[in-house]
């Protein structure tokens, strides 16, 4: 009986989504347009400084690495930025993706350049003109374009809006126009109803994301170092978490105005501070700490780790655990607070 | 209630609902016998909807108890009752067919689909978006949803408000057919003709209290004798009003007399020289009853 009632609501909700052609096309076209816009607007990457990754062994790492002179030979050059890396593999991957122009390991007296990056050749010239103590190693690798980097951000943003508003706002609207009251007057339980709302939205979001990704990938062929399955798992966990957050916000209110305000209040800080548009690596420590409260931050960290660093399941396990934890909290509190008819009657 | 009678399908004791310190429903005691059509009658704001929503289990009362077949309602209550709200909506973008599918899945043993569709005359609108239905069609769909589980008890909250006369009459036919299948119907209305047409028993509500309760005919006989005779006021201008008609009330341009024996009354009027031009003889209606009980009209406020 549980599944029969659940399936009833699930099917009805899917039909609504499919027949609402305006929203459906918006869900598909909006991310496509954004990705395309970013691809064309930010394609030319004209950084004016040379960025060098410096691999540091753990024991020699200075307690204050910020602004420390890592490679003295390059220190006098103001336009060279030195970024310390503990992990050589990570630094080399950044070099392959053209995020770094050169990687230097001072202890090993070695440096790496990326043959397919013009900036890398220039940086190598700079270093060899100042010192001949380093042995050269050569890598190749396609540049990680901004569009590659921003793609998970745009997809996650789409996921976030679709889940928050598609669950939260819809429930409040249904409460206000008494659809919920009609459903309450049947044997359908609140749990069956809410579960069907969440599952329906999650699967629709996953389907939309996959379609958008496939279309964009056919045009831009994105960098993908890891497993697609892991990426889908992440999208699943992320949308579950966002839909649960939508439920929590919609638990009681009958006011569409209030719920819109609450949803915006949650969505916009996430949009700005979770690393959708730009990396948080360079932002102040407190911003990075603060961003940890957002599920979107963890989703994006894990998604980018899979896509750009080829991270496996164990490497993104912490983020998955955090997402599951947040989902459970939102669901439990939301289900406890939920009222069919709601406040303000 | 006498002990010998069967347990009422629904009863309340001291049922009370308070909004902002005012008792909208005030210590209501009702007993609704199985198999009848019971009407809650009253003007807007009398507490009809609040009462019926507490009975439906949608609105929690502030005090008092509600018994379904002698026991407090449990979680299976919604398997046995059908509910049609006064104001309600259905999920967007669904066709009549989809809505029927959705609701049929909520119940352990839903009615036969084709039978339900035929019963509520939905054959021609199955593929129509429910938002594009006419008022009468929408009420028939909502009634079909309320009948989906072949309920023992059907709640109808102002089911014909806003319908045109034709649609109202069609809806009444449907309610009669529900009643003839042995189901109990509980309806609220502010139309006295609707209550007279459909109800076996009514309770007249005003300000959250029951003013009177019983079968419409019995109540009318109890409060009114014979018929109401109405004559234009101008007919009395040349003649002296006979002493026995002192309790005649003037209503607008008419004088209204209550007559136990119509022919005797008319003879007396003729004898007194009152012209019978423009004469109207009417039976008392629930509207008259309500006016008599409260001093204000049922419909207008």
């Amino acid at each position: 009986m549980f599944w029969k009632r659940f399936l009833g609501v699930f099917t009805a909700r899917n039909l609504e989504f499919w027949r609402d052609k305006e929203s459906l096309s918006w869900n598909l076209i909006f991310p496509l347009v954004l990705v395309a816009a970013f691809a064309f607007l930010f394609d030319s990457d004209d950084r004016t400084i040379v960025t060098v990754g410096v691999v540091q062994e753990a024991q020699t790492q200075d307690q204050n690495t910020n602004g420390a002179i890592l490679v003295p030979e390059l220190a006098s050059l103001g336009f060279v930025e030195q970024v310390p890396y503990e992990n050589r593999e990570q630094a080399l991957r950044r070099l392959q993706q053209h995020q770094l122009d050169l990687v230097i390991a001072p202890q090993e007296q070695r440096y790496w350049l990326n043959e397919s990056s013009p900036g890398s050749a220039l940086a190598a010239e700079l270093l060899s003109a100042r010192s001949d103590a380093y042995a050269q190693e050569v890598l190749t690798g396609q540049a990680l374009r901004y569009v590659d980097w921003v793609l998970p951000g745009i997809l996650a943003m789409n996921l976030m809006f679709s889940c928050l508003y598609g669950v939260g706002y819809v429930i409040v609207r249904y409460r206000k126009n008494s659809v919920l009251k009609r459903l309450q007057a049947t044997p359908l339980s609140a749990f069956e109803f809410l579960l069907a709302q969440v599952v329906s939205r999650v699967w629709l979001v996953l389907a939309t994301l996959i379609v958008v990704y496939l279309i964009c990938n056919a045009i831009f062929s994105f960098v993908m170092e890891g497993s697609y399955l892991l990426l889908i798992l992440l999208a699943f966990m992320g949308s579950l978490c966002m839909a649960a957050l939508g439920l929590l916000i919609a638990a009681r209110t009958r006011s569409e105005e209030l719920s819109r305000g609450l949803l915006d209040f949650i969505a916009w800080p996430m949009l700005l501070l979770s690393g959708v548009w730009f990396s948080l690596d360079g932002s102040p420590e407190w911003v990075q700490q603060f961003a940890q409260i957002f599920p979107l931050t963890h989703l994006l960290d894990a998604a980018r780790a899979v896509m750009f660093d080829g991270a496996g399941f164990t490497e993104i396990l912490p983020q998955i655990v955090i997402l599951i934890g947040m989902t459970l909290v939102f669901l439990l509190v939301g289900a406890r607070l939920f009222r069919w008819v709601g406040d303000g009657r | 209630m006498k002990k010998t009678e069967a347990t009422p399908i629904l009863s309340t004791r001291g049922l009370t609902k308070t909004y902002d310190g005012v008792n909208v429903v005030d210590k209501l005691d009702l007993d609704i016998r199985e198999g009848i059509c019971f009407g809650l009658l009253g003007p807007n704001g009398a507490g009809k909807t609040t009462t019926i929503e507490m009975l439906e289990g949608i609105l929690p009362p502030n005090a008092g108890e509600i018994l379904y077949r002698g026991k407090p309602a449990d979680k299976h209550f919604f398997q046995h009752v059908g509910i049609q709200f006064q104001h309600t909506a259905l999920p967007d973008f669904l066709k009549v067919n989809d809505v029927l599918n959705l609701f049929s899945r909520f119940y352990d043993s839903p009615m036969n689909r084709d039978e339900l569709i035929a019963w509520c005359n939905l054959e021609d609108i199955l593929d129509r978006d429910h938002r594009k239905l006419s008022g009468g069609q929408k009420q028939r769909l909502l009634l079909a949803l309320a009948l989906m589980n072949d309920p023992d008890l059907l709640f109808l909250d102002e089911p014909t408000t806003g319908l045109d006369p034709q649609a109202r009459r069609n809806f009444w036919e449907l309610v009669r057919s529900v009643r003839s299948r042995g189901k109990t119907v509980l309806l609220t209305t502010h139309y006295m003709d609707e209550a007279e047409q459909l109800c076996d028993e009514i309770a007249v509500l005003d300000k959250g209290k029951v003013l009177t309760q019983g079968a419409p005919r019995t109540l009318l006989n109890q409060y009114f004798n014979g018929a109401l005779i109405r004559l234009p006021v101008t007919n009395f201008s040349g003649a002296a009003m006979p002493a026995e008609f002192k309790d005649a009330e003037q209503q607008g341009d008419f004088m209204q007399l209550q007559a136990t024996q119509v022919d005797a009354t008319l003879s007396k009027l003729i004898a007194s020289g009152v012209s019978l031009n423009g004469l109207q003889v009417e039976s008392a209606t629930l509207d008259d009853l309500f006016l008599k009980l409260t001093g204000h009209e049922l419909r207008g406020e």
Side-chain angles (χ1 to χ4, degrees), chain B residues 181-196:
Chain B
R181 294 196 184 197
K183 298 179 188 312
T184 312
V185 179
L186 173 53
L187 72 86
T188 71
T189 183
H190 62 253
Y191 296 122
M192 57 282 135
D193 55 339
E194 185 159 285
E196 280 177 331

Side-chain angles (χ1 to χ4, degrees), chain A residues 1 4-5 7-9 11-12 15-16 19-20 173-174 177-179 181-188 341 345, chain B residues 19 53 58-59 78-79 83 85 87-95 98 102-108 145-146:
Chain A
M1 267 330 293
K4 197 172 135 195
R5 291 194 287 263
L7 264 176
V9 181
T11 313
L15 273 177
E16 268 185 85
R19 295 214 182 117
D20 185 2
R173 187 155 53 82
Y174 279 177
N177 66 14
S178 297
V179 171
K181 187 172 156 187
R182 186 63 194 84
L183 295 177
Q184 183 192 4
T186 70
L188 180 73
V341 178
R345 195 193 142 80
Chain B
Y19 286 127
E53 289 194 352
I58 297 295
L59 199 61
F78 289 128
Q79 293 281 5
I83 297 178
F85 294 113
H87 300 292
T88 195
L90 297 165
D92 294 341
F93 295 101
L94 296 187
K95 296 175 180 171
D98 305 321
L102 172 65
F103 278 73
S104 74
R105 285 178 163 145
F106 293 158
Y107 297 100
D108 294 341
L145 299 182

Side-chain angles (χ1 to χ4, degrees), chain B residues 246-287:
Chain B
K246 268 210 250 11
D247 61 341
E249 298 170 49
Q250 181 167 351
Q251 289 197 345
D253 294 334
F254 284 87
M255 289 302 281
Q256 183 168 296
L257 314 169
Q258 207 168 308
T260 329
Q261 300 287 321
V262 176
D263 32 0
T265 307
L266 291 182
S267 311
K268 275 180 195 149
L269 284 171
I270 294 167
S272 315
V274 178
S275 160
L276 294 188
N277 286 333
L279 170 77
Q280 296 174 359
V281 181
E282 290 171 359
S283 305
T285 63
L286 291 178
D287 226 359

Side-chain angles (χ1 to χ4, degrees), chain A residues 216-268:
Chain A
C216 288
N217 198 41
I219 305 170
F220 302 108
S221 63
F222 297 113
V223 172
M224 180 61 187
E225 302 281 348
S227 143
Y228 279 109
L229 255 154
L230 270 186
L231 211 54
I232 291 174
L233 173 74
L234 276 171
F236 175 72
M237 299 309 310
S239 41
L240 211 54
C241 189
M242 292 294 175
L245 182 56
L247 280 191
L248 176 61
I249 289 168
R252 285 214 174 167
T253 179
R254 289 166 67 85
S255 158
E256 284 171 296
E257 305 277 321
L258 174 65
S259 60
R260 177 161 286 258
L262 284 173
L263 289 168
D264 285 345
F265 179 74
I266 287 173
W268 285 93

Side-chain angles (χ1 to χ4, degrees), chain A residues 34-47 97-99 118 142-150 219-223:
Chain A
L34 268 185
V35 172
F38 278 105
F40 295 117
L41 287 175
F42 298 100
D43 205 22
S44 58
D45 193 0
D46 52 356
R47 284 173 300 159
Q97 294 169 346
H98 301 215
Q99 302 296 97
Q142 190 197 350
L144 181 71
R145 298 154 300 176
Y146 181 63
V147 66
D148 290 303
W149 194 87
V150 85
I219 305 170
F220 302 108
S221 63
F222 297 113
V223 172

Side-chain angles (χ1 to χ4, degrees), chain A residues 270 288-298 326 330:
Chain A
M270 273 204 266
Q288 296 188 32
Q289 289 299 324
F290 181 68
Q292 300 301 308
I293 67 166
F294 298 128
L296 201 63
T297 309
H298 302 284
M326 286 182 166
F330 297 151

